[in-house]
Amino acid sequence: MKSDVAVVLSEPDNNINQTPQLATAVIGGTGAVHAVGASHASIFLDRFFGAFQWQEFACGCGSAFVNIAVTYPIYKIIFRQMLHGVPLSSALLQLHHEGLGFLYRGMLPPLAQKTISLSIMFGVFDGTRRYLVEDYRLNDYGAKIIAGVVAGSVESLLLPFERVQTLLADSKFHKYFSNTQNAFRYVVTNYGFRELYRGIEPVFWRNGLSNALFFMLREEASVRLPKRKSVSSRTAQEFIAGAVIGASISTLFYPLNVIKVSLQSDMGQLSEGSWHACKRIYRERDSRIGNFYRGCAFNTGRSFISWGIMNTAYENLKKLMQQHQTSSPAPLSNRK
C-alpha cells in the first residue's frame, strides 16, 4: 500500500517538471510550422512567378498597339449599332454629322486598355499554363483552360478603361466631359470608383470563356496546320488562323458585349443585373433573339481584321525576340 501511494504522490512532481519542457516544445513546434509555411509560400511564389516570361507580355502589348491604330474607327460604328440598334447606314450618318474631330475621340482608353489587356492575356496565360504543366503535371488541355480563365479574370480588372470608352463614344455624354482624363475625374468625383466597374459581370464571363477557347483553338491550329517555309505564306496563314478563330469567338460572345454596353450607357443610377438587362433588351428589340446581333456582321468583319493583325504581329514580334536572343553574344562569365 505504501509503495502504491508513493507512486501516486510522485506523479504530479514529474508532470510539473515536464510542463516547461512541453510548453517550450509547443512554442518551438508552432514556430517551426510558421517557418515551414513561410518557406512553402516563398517557394510557391518563386516557382509561380518564375514561370512568367517578359517576352510574352511585350509581344502582346505590341500586337495590341498595331491593331488599335488600324481598327478604332470601325469600333465606333459598331458601338453605335450596339447602343441604338440602328443599321450600318444610320451609324455612318451619325459619325459623319459629328465630324472627323470626334472620330478618334475616346481612342486613348482602348489603346491603354488593349495594350495592357493583350499583354496580360498572352503573358499570364503562358506563365500560368507553364506553371501548371511543369509543377503539377496537369494535362495540356486542362492547363490551357485554367490558364485562359485566369488570364481573362485578371483582364477584367481593366474594366474602367472600357467604362470610360463607352461614355466617350456615347453622344449623350459629350457635354459632360471632353477627354479621357476629364471622364475619369468626373465619374470618380461624382459617383466613386465603383461606378467604373459597372457591367463587370458580363465582362468577367466574356473574358474568361473567350480566352480559354481562343488559346485552345489557336494552339491546335499551330500544331495541325502545315508548316510554311516562305515568309509571305507563313504570315498569311498566321493572319487567317488568328482572324477566323478571333472572329468566330467574338461572334459567339457578341450578346455579352451588347449587355455590357447597355449596362454602361447609364451613369449614377442603380445598376441592374445582367439577366434583367438581357430580358429588357430582348423586350426593347421586339422580343427577337436575332436583334441581339444587330451590328454583329460588321463586328465579325472588324474582329476578323483585328485578330488577324494581332495574331500576325504577335508571332512576328516573338520571332524577332527569339532571333535577337540567339544572335546576342554570351556573357563574359559564360565564355571560355
Side-chain angles (χ1 to χ4, degrees):
M1 288 291 293
K2 289 182 180 179
S3 60
D4 293 339
V5 172
V7 169
V8 172
L9 292 175
S10 64
E11 285 178 357
D13 294 333
N14 293 334
N15 290 337
I16 291 171
N17 293 332
Q18 291 173 0
T19 300
Q21 299 174 1
L22 289 173
T24 303
V26 170
I27 294 171
T30 304
V33 169
H34 286 308
V36 171
S39 176
H40 285 171
S42 177
I43 292 171
F44 166 76
L45 292 175
D46 289 342
R47 291 292 301 163
F48 181 71
F49 289 107
F52 290 82
Q53 297 181 339
W54 70 267
Q55 293 90 340
E56 294 290 333
F57 290 92
C59 291
C61 180
S63 64
F65 184 86
V66 174
N67 167 62
I68 290 297
V70 175
T71 61
Y72 184 74
I74 303 175
Y75 159 79
K76 271 302 253 307
I77 297 170
I78 296 168
F79 172 83
R80 295 299 174 87
Q81 290 187 279
M82 281 183 180
L83 183 60
H84 302 298
V86 296
L88 174 61
S89 57
S90 297
L92 286 170
L93 194 61
Q94 287 181 12
L95 295 178
H96 176 72
H97 285 318
E98 292 172 12
L100 187 62
F102 284 101
L103 181 60
Y104 278 92
R105 174 185 164 94
M107 180 180 171
L108 183 58
L111 183 62
Q113 185 262 339
K114 206 65 178 177
T115 50
I116 300 171
S117 177
L118 264 291
S119 178
I120 291 172
M121 177 179 169
F122 284 100
V124 173
F125 169 82
D126 181 76
T128 305
R129 181 188 61 80
R130 192 188 303 274
Y131 173 74
L132 291 173
V133 171
E134 292 178 358
D135 282 53
Y136 288 93
R137 301 294 185 267
L138 193 65
N139 72 78
D140 203 32
Y141 286 104
K144 288 174 187 175
I145 293 171
I146 295 174
V149 172
V150 170
S153 301
V154 176
E155 277 186 82
S156 300
L157 296 175
L158 303 175
L159 180 62
F161 289 107
E162 290 190 55
R163 178 76 178 104
V164 171
Q165 180 185 353
T166 300
L167 295 174
L168 289 171
D170 192 348
S171 58
K172 73 180 180 181
F173 293 114
H174 283 179
K175 62 182 179 181
Y176 291 99
F177 24 75
S178 57
N179 55 46
T180 301
Q181 185 178 359
N182 288 344
F184 270 113
R185 187 186 300 113
Y186 183 91
V187 172
V188 173
T189 301
N190 291 280
Y191 304 108
F193 282 99
R194 187 174 182 179
E195 181 66 26
L196 293 174
Y197 283 91
R198 181 187 289 265
I200 192 171
E201 185 181 350
V203 170
F204 182 83
W205 286 107
R206 179 201 66 189
N207 287 357
L209 297 175
S210 63
N211 276 9
L213 192 55
F214 173 79
F215 283 112
M216 285 186 63
L217 294 175
R218 180 176 174 272
E219 296 200 10
E220 285 295 312
S222 66
V223 170
R224 298 180 184 276
L225 289 175
K227 305 300 180 184
R228 306 290 182 180
K229 294 183 179 179
S230 68
V231 175
S232 59
S233 60
R234 186 173 64 246
T235 302
Q237 182 170 286
E238 290 168 353
F239 180 89
I240 293 172
V244 171
I245 293 170
S248 301
I249 294 173
S250 179
T251 301
L252 179 64
F253 292 103
Y254 187 80
L256 288 176
N257 276 332
V258 173
I259 294 170
K260 182 211 74 168
V261 168
S262 178
L263 290 172
Q264 292 185 342
S265 64
D266 289 326
M267 184 169 58
Q269 302 175 8
L270 182 64
S271 180
E272 59 183 333
S274 297
W275 179 241
H276 289 289
C278 180
K279 291 190 291 184
R280 174 179 55 78
I281 296 168
Y282 178 74
R283 290 192 301 268
E284 289 175 353
R285 301 193 177 185
D286 301 326
S287 300
R288 294 179 60 185
I289 295 177
N291 288 340
F292 267 93
Y293 286 87
R294 279 271 178 85
C296 184
F298 205 53
N299 177 73
T300 301
R302 181 195 65 89
S303 297
F304 186 90
I305 297 170
S306 177
W307 281 103
I309 292 171
M310 283 191 289
N311 194 54
T312 305
Y314 171 85
E315 294 292 349
N316 282 278
L317 286 170
K318 193 171 182 180
K319 288 184 181 72
L320 286 173
M321 287 189 175
Q322 289 172 346
Q323 290 172 2
H324 177 72
Q325 286 180 337
T326 55
S327 62
S328 297
L332 292 174
S333 59
N334 293 339
R335 297 179 187 176
K336 293 183 179 180

